[in-house]
């Protein structure tokens, strides 16, 4: 299974989601069967590390944020099984970028998978930046 987490700039929400999921995957011993990455719909922060504030908060919870920001590429839709958008704006951009219907179907909101959000009207992960 290959999961791509996507926010706007790839320096806070998506690397945090990737880091949390990486921790959960390692705890479950599934690191050999689940591949994770994150990206942004924008290119403002390409090459930058995760935001220092997001990294500090993550560390207090035992989560490491790694990697450098990158922008989503069309080929990501072939390489990943699920593309998890942090908010509805990112989801719209991703669906526009997707080359076809099968690729658009891979784009979902992260909080769709949150049992606590079942009855929530707003599934967006707020942008702390």
């Amino acid at each position: 299974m290959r999961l791509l987490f996507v926010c706007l700039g790839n320096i806070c929400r998506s690397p945090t989601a990737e880091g949390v999921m990486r921790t959960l995957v390692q705890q479950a011993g599934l690191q050999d069967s689940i591949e994770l990455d994150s990206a942004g719909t924008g290119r403002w922060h390409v090459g930058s590390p995760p935001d220092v504030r997001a990294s500090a908060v993550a560390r207090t919870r035992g989560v490491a944020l790694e990697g450098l920001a990158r922008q989503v590429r069309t080929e990501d839709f072939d390489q990943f099984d699920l593309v998890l958008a942090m908010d509805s704006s990112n989801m719209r951009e991703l669906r526009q970028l997707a080359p076809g219907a099968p690729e658009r179907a891979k784009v979902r909101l992260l909080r769709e998978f949150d049992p606590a959000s079942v009855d929530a009207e707003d599934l967006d992960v707020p942008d702390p930046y």
Side-chain angles (χ1 to χ4, degrees):
M1 174 62 73
R2 295 163 300 185
L3 307 175
L4 179 65
F5 300 91
V6 181
C7 68
L8 188 59
N10 192 217
I11 61 167
C12 50
R13 292 178 292 173
S14 56
T16 298
E18 177 190 357
V20 169
M21 181 60 85
R22 189 170 308 285
T23 300
L24 294 171
V25 165
Q26 288 172 345
Q27 289 172 349
L30 298 171
Q31 58 271 23
D32 293 334
S33 55
I34 300 176
E35 180 183 326
L36 306 169
D37 197 5
S38 62
T41 55
R43 60 185 176 130
W44 308 278
H45 301 290
V46 168
S48 297
D51 183 84
V52 295
R53 296 162 293 186
S55 294
V57 170
R59 268 193 310 276
T60 67
R61 291 169 172 80
V63 174
L65 304 190
E66 301 169 347
L68 300 175
R70 70 174 185 88
Q71 190 172 16
V72 173
R73 303 176 300 255
T74 305
E75 53 269 20
D76 286 331
F77 292 97
D78 291 329
Q79 296 173 356
F80 291 92
D81 301 304
L82 199 53
V83 180
L84 298 162
M86 296 300 116
D87 64 36
S88 54
S89 174
N90 299 140
M91 186 167 69
R92 277 190 303 276
E93 286 190 49
L94 288 163
R95 287 186 172 164
Q96 288 174 352
L97 178 64
E103 293 83 8
R104 278 191 295 280
K106 294 179 178 186
V107 179
R108 305 278 297 274
L109 287 170
L110 174 68
R111 289 190 62 211
E112 288 180 46
F113 299 93
D114 175 8
S117 298
V118 170
D119 295 322
E121 290 181 29
D122 180 8
L123 294 177
D124 288 358
V125 174
D127 189 348
Y129 196 77

